[in-house]
Structure formats: C-alpha cells, structure tokens
Amino acid sequence: MSAAIASLVSYGSDSDSENDPDATAHLKPLQSGQTMSLALLNSAPEVAVKEAVETGTHLDPSLKEVTYNPTYETMFAPEFGPMNPFKSQQMAAPRNMLSGYAEPAHLNDFMFEQERRTFATYGYALDPSVDTHQVCTSSYIGAVDEAEKNKGLTVFESGPKKSEKRKKVKGGEAEEIDSFLGPWAKYADEKDVAKPSEDEQKELDEITAKRQKKGRNEEEAPAEEKTILHVKEMYDYQGRSYLHVPQDVGINLRSADAPDKCYLPKKQIHVWSGHTKGVSGIRLFPSSGHLLLSSSMDCKIKLWEVYGERRCVRTFIGHSKAVRDICFNNTGTQFLSAAYDRYLKLWDSETGQCISRFTNRKVPYCVKFNPDEDKQNLFVAGMSDKKIVQWDIRTGEVVQEYDRHLGAVNTITFVDENRRFVSTSDDKSLRVWEWDIPVDFKYIAEPSMHSMPAVTLSPNGKWLACQSMDNQILIFGAQNRFRLNKKKVFKGHMVAGYACQVDFSPDMSYVVSGDADGKLNIWDWKTTKLYHRIKAHDKVCISALWHPHETSKVITCGWDGQIKLWD
C-alpha cells in the first residue's frame, strides 16, 4: 500500500518540486495504523462532449432538417470559414441570378397570360408588386391613362356595349332565363307559319310516296339479269361449247403438272379491252386456264379466251353496282359474283343464265366456293358487317355464320386440304377457322400488323402470301402453326390503300404483284429480291395472275379498264 502511494506521489511531482525541500516537507512516511485521504486525480486530457462539438460546428445551409437545437451563433455563422471583415452588405445579400435576387411569385398561368396579352394589346398591366385587392390608378404599369379610360379591362373581358348586346340577344337578364323561349319562339304562333294549301299538300304527298317507293325498289329488287353472246356459234361442229378445253394450243392444258422451270415475262403480247371502267378482279378457268373471267366497276362480268383469237366470249349483266369479287366452282360450269348492290349471284358459265340470288342486306366483299367435291353446294362470303356467311345454293338459305371479326372481312382462303380456311379483315387480324365451326381456333394480330386485303395460297399449299398495307408482302405458313416467315418479306412496291392481288409462278420461283403506280413487280422467291418491274397499266394494277400451265405468261388487270397478257 505504501509503495503504491509513493508511486502516486512521485507521479504527481515534477522536477522543481523534487529540488524544493518545502514542497516535500509535508510528505512524511505513514506510521502503522494511520490512513491518508487522497484527492481523485483525472490523468486524461479534457475532451468536449458530442453536443458541444455539434453546436459549435458548421451548419450546412443546404440542410432541409436539423435534428438538434442550434444556437443563434451557429445559425448565423458564416457559411464557410471565418467572417470576411471586408464583405459589404450588397455583397452579403443572397443572389439567385446575375443581377441579384428574384423572389418567386406564385402566379398561375392564366393570370400571367392575361396580363401579358393585355399589356401587348392595350399597353398597360397590373403591377404584380401591388396588392390586387386594392386596385387603383397607381396599381397599373405602362399606359396608365389607357387603363383609366378602359377601367382596367383585360383582353379577356368584354366592353359594356358587347355585354349589353349579348344580354339582349340571349333573352335578357339572368333572372329572365326561365321565360326565354329561344330564337324560334316568335314563330310558335301558327298564324305566322306558312302552310301549303290542300292541293299543294296532296301533290307533295304524291312526290314523297314516289320517292320512297323508288328508293325501296332500288334497294330491295335485284337488277334484271341478261347475257350477251359475242361469238357467232355457241357450239362447234362437234357440239362442244367454249367451255371445252382446246387441244391445239401447244401445251397440255389437261395436265395437272406445273412447268419445271419458269422465266420472267418481258413484253406485252395482247390486250383485252371491253370494260368501260376499271377491272376489279380476274379469275382463270379451273385446271385448264383456257378462259378468263373478269369483273368490273361497270357492273359487268366478261368471259374471255386466253388462247386462239382471244375474243370476248360472253358478257354477264345483272348487277346494279360495281362487281367486287368472282369465284368459279371446281368444274368451271358455274361461278359466283359479289357486288356492291348487296347481292351475290350464281351464274351458269355456258348459257349465261342467272341461276339464283343471295343477299343478307349487307355488302359482300369476297366470295369462295368450298373446294371439296362433296361440298360444291356450299359457299362462304365475307361481309361488310364483320361476318362470314355460309350459304347453301340448293336451298338459298344461310346455314352458318362466323362472327368473330371486328371489321369488314376482306379475304377468305381455303388451306390444309380444304379442312380450314383463313380470313383477313379490316381489324388488321388474321383468323383461321375449321369448316362449319363458328369459333376461330387461331387468331393472329400483332401491334405492328396492318390490314391485309389480298391473300393467295402458294401452288404447293405450304405458304400464304398476304399483301400488307405497309407496302410489304408477308408470308405466313399455311400448315398447323400459321407463323409469320420473317425471312420472306417482299418490299419495293407501293400498294398502300389498294387490294393488289399477289400470285406465285407455278414452279414457286417467283412472286408477282401489281401496285398503285400500275406496275407489275416480280420478286425471286428464294432471295426476296425484286427482279423485274414493268409499267403495265396507266392506273392501279389491281391483279396479276401467272398462268398455271405456262412458263412465262402473266395476266394483269388495272383500273384503266384493260386486261393485258405478258410473256
């Protein structure tokens, strides 16, 4: 214990106290049984507490929240470093722009625009620094005299004369709104209204009745059907009509085989002219292709020879408006026509007789026979009311309706051995249907897709060529998945707004299509490269057909009313 105290004493003394005898005089060795009281010594240096440090340190002016109560000196201390004794009051003033400090003014956009326009028009505006509740002459800046003259009116406020006139026109004060009968109130009295006499009223009723009857007749009654034969003899010396497939044209038209190799057509070799308006569609006779059927906007349908003298054989007249689509049956003995007069008509190809008429009071946009041999009595038509309607030609009745599209139906194409058909519509979608099942089992619609108003099945039945309204021909698989083939996109032509029909060469080497400029475009199927372009028509080239038995014969039709043969 004594050793420990001695060490403490020696720790507390310095060199001066050691040499000074007075300083150590009071330190005497302890007797046994004595105790000594010691003062508590703190050998560590004095350290400031956390609060003292924080209150004495710099306060960041950009802080939005302070978690302690700072002192006055801390809050009004210089931002950085010690205070600058040479800083003037002007220099110390806060600045948020080059010329000084601009106070934010809470003014809505309308008030600001009102004052700006008033100043631009009249030369005065309200002083923004003055209280708006105490408006007087001194409250304005600019042309104060003008402000007094106009009583401080803004551009959005009307003058007294206008308001008086407005009140007068509208029927008086706001309290009189219940008694205001409107601008025609003065004609309410029957004495002031002119009425026809009894004779005049009778004549008016007759005219109205005639008009209504005429309109009803035009809508309800189909146009009278007639036909014109343009050849001298309907039958030859053997009793064969023009439907008989010729044997002396250099190629076997009865053969089901396609030519092995096709070539690009180079020149025009014939023009069929006879339609007085644009041609809307052309169809070749099934299998042989020795006859050509054309529909036109002149309401007529014509049948032409493809070989020999290439004459117009027969004209079918029976629609009162433009013919939209035509379709042969499998044998070619009959065909259907769809027109804007809302009628679908079944014709005999040989005699020209109209066999039957079908209508559901809607415009048919496309029509197709079912290609199955046992279903040749059934056909489907895409209508303007978004439906696909199925008719039976034996009964003339609708037997099925496919109602899933959201826009007018543009095309119907049979695929997969005629078990299914594909339809496209103005709703920019493509739907696949099982025959006779009115629910689509495949629905294809992408945000990037456009309407596809012309679709053609390839000769091998594997692909669908769709004319898209973004100036492209898109290729979809026609088996199972109906996927878009992104590697096969045919571009380079202008078709936006027109349903230009696409076709394939029989050997699948080329794809042909007309365009809005009247050109015939030919692409290579494998590379999708645009090989050839021919100026075919003066107006839109609406359809192009490659003859199924010829290596290089292509038939085009256009809105100039002509049908042309190229080789």
Side-chain angles (χ1 to χ4, degrees):
M1 175 74 179
S2 60
I5 294 169
S7 64
L8 278 170
V9 170
S10 65
Y11 177 81
S13 65
D14 54 9
S15 56
D16 294 331
S17 63
E18 285 176 8
N19 299 328
D20 187 5
D22 297 326
T24 57
H26 65 280
L27 293 174
K28 293 179 182 177
L30 291 173
Q31 302 288 324
S32 61
Q34 289 183 343
T35 58
M36 186 181 74
S37 61
L38 292 173
L40 290 172
L41 298 174
N42 186 3
S43 58
E46 188 173 341
V47 178
V49 293
K50 182 181 178 211
E51 287 76 10
V53 173
E54 284 186 345
T55 52
T57 54
H58 165 68
L59 184 65
D60 188 356
S62 63
L63 281 175
K64 300 283 189 238
E65 184 180 342
V66 182
T67 56
Y68 61 92
N69 292 331
T71 61
Y72 175 85
E73 288 78 13
T74 305
M75 290 187 69
F76 290 92
E79 286 190 15
F80 296 102
M83 191 176 290
N84 182 2
F86 305 105
K87 197 172 189 178
S88 64
Q89 189 179 357
Q90 187 178 357
M91 289 167 65
R95 295 201 310 173
N96 62 357
M97 55 189 294
L98 192 63
S99 58
Y101 184 81
E103 282 190 15
H106 297 282
L107 188 71
N108 66 35
D109 292 340
F110 174 75
M111 292 298 293
F112 179 83
E113 193 63 18
Q114 175 179 273
E115 295 303 326
R116 187 189 70 77
R117 289 194 185 184
T118 305
F119 190 82
T121 307
Y122 299 133
Y124 62 85
L126 272 173
D127 187 350
S129 61
V130 177
D131 187 3
T132 52
H133 297 291
Q134 300 171 356
V135 176
C136 59
T137 311
S138 59
S139 304
Y140 292 93
I141 54 171
V144 181
D145 299 337
E146 194 72 21
E148 284 181 14
K149 183 181 171 185
N150 289 346
K151 296 183 180 178
L153 286 174
T154 64
V155 286
F156 294 126
E157 294 172 337
S158 54
K161 291 181 182 176
K162 284 185 181 176
S163 60
E164 282 170 18
K165 185 181 178 184
R166 191 173 177 186
K167 280 182 183 176
K168 189 177 178 183
V169 170
K170 291 295 179 186
E173 296 294 333
E175 300 84 45
E176 299 171 15
I177 190 74
D178 295 330
S179 60
F180 178 61
L181 299 175
W184 299 99
K186 59 184 178 180
Y187 301 108
D189 193 357
E190 290 187 4
K191 293 175 184 176
D192 300 332
V193 181
K195 284 189 175 180
S197 63
E198 287 184 12
D199 295 337
E200 287 173 337
Q201 186 62 45
K202 193 176 179 183
E203 193 176 344
L204 281 170
D205 291 340
E206 284 178 11
I207 292 168
T208 309
K210 275 183 184 177
R211 281 181 183 168
Q212 288 176 348
K213 191 177 179 183
K214 187 182 177 185
R216 203 180 300 118
N217 287 348
E218 279 183 1
E219 285 185 11
E220 291 179 4
E224 185 187 350
E225 297 89 6
K226 59 181 181 178
T227 181
I228 302 166
L229 182 69
H230 298 286
V231 291
K232 288 181 182 177
E233 298 291 334
M234 186 167 169
Y235 301 100
D236 63 3
Y237 67 98
Q238 286 186 332
R240 299 175 301 189
S241 73
Y242 50 74
L243 296 187
H244 181 263
V245 181
Q247 305 292 309
D248 55 349
V249 294
I251 57 169
N252 183 10
L253 295 179
R254 295 178 186 272
S255 170
D257 298 329
D260 296 330
K261 176 71 178 155
C262 290
Y263 304 94
L264 295 175
K266 293 285 193 290
K267 61 179 188 287
Q268 173 189 312
I269 58 172
H270 187 71
V271 179
W272 289 283
S273 55
H275 285 294
T276 55
K277 290 185 181 177
V279 181
S280 56
I282 48 175
R283 300 285 182 272
L284 283 164
F285 196 82
S287 303
S288 64
H290 72 286
L291 293 172
L292 178 72
L293 190 68
S294 66
S295 61
S296 171
M297 297 171 195
D298 62 6
C299 314
K300 294 174 184 173
I301 302 159
K302 289 180 181 286
L303 193 62
W304 315 80
E305 290 177 333
V306 176
Y307 296 98
E309 297 176 35
R310 300 193 174 104
R311 301 167 294 178
C312 178
V313 179
R314 189 181 282 280
T315 300
F316 304 84
I317 304 166
H319 286 289
S320 59
K321 290 184 181 174
V323 184
R324 166 85 187 208
D325 196 19
I326 44 177
C327 179
F328 274 113
N329 66 358
N330 283 3
T331 56
T333 54
Q334 296 175 350
F335 69 88
L336 280 161
S337 63
Y340 284 101
D341 60 2
R342 295 180 165 83
Y343 274 90
L344 292 137
K345 296 193 176 184
L346 180 67
W347 304 82
D348 188 297
S349 307
E350 189 172 336
T351 63
Q353 178 193 355
C354 180
I355 301 166
S356 51
R357 310 171 194 88
F358 311 90
T359 183
N360 69 343
R361 312 307 311 137
K362 298 291 183 291
V363 177
Y365 280 175
C366 57
V367 62
K368 278 282 194 303
F369 269 106
N370 187 314
D372 274 349
E373 290 296 336
D374 60 337
K375 296 187 181 73
Q376 284 290 283
N377 60 303
L378 299 170
F379 72 89
V380 282
M383 312 301 286
S384 60
D385 66 344
K386 313 170 192 173
K387 293 179 183 177
I388 299 170
V389 185
Q390 183 179 319
W391 267 282
D392 190 331
I393 61 175
R394 296 172 299 189
T395 61
E397 292 179 358
V398 174
V399 292
Q400 187 63 272
E401 277 190 355
Y402 307 82
D403 183 13
R404 302 279 283 185
H405 274 295
L406 306 174
V409 182
N410 290 322
T411 67
I412 296 169
T413 312
F414 281 87
V415 296
D416 195 17
E417 297 177 352
N418 311 321
R419 288 193 291 264
R420 301 168 178 167
F421 63 90
V422 176
S423 62
T424 63
S425 161
D426 285 344
D427 62 11
K428 303 180 184 178
S429 73
L430 184 146
R431 293 176 193 258
V432 189
W433 313 76
E434 296 273 2
W435 176 257
D436 221 13
I437 298 173
V439 179
D440 52 323
F441 84 91
K442 187 80 174 179
Y443 169 66
I444 300 167
E446 295 290 336
S448 59
M449 275 174 67
H450 288 67
S451 178
M452 297 181 290
V455 177
T456 304
L457 183 68
S458 66
N460 60 13
K462 290 182 180 178
W463 305 102
L464 284 169
C466 306
Q467 187 77 263
S468 180
M469 284 293 93
D470 57 349
N471 301 321
Q472 294 183 133
I473 297 172
L474 303 178
I475 305 296
F476 288 88
Q479 296 168 334
N480 300 327
R481 288 178 175 262
F482 295 90
R483 273 189 179 170
L484 174 66
N485 189 339
K486 292 180 181 177
K487 292 180 181 177
K488 291 260 191 287
V489 178
F490 300 90
K491 303 176 184 177
H493 62 320
M494 179 75 183
V495 284
Y498 300 96
C500 296
Q501 193 66 43
V502 191
D503 201 15
F504 293 87
S505 63
D507 68 342
M508 287 284 295
S509 295
Y510 304 108
V511 175
V512 291
S513 168
D515 67 11
D517 302 324
K519 294 188 177 78
L520 171 64
N521 301 273
I522 305 170
W523 290 268
D524 179 55
W525 167 254
K526 283 187 179 176
T527 63
T528 70
K529 186 180 176 184
L530 182 58
Y531 266 1
H532 200 42
R533 183 179 279 163
I534 306 167
K535 177 66 176 172
H537 295 271
D538 295 331
K539 292 182 181 176
V540 182
C541 178
I542 202 70
S543 187
L545 288 180
W546 200 301
H547 198 287
H549 296 288
E550 297 282 355
T551 56
S552 60
K553 281 191 172 64
V554 176
I555 302 165
T556 62
C557 68
W559 284 8
D560 55 1
Q562 293 186 327
I563 305 164
K564 296 185 180 181
L565 178 62
W566 304 83
D567 194 5

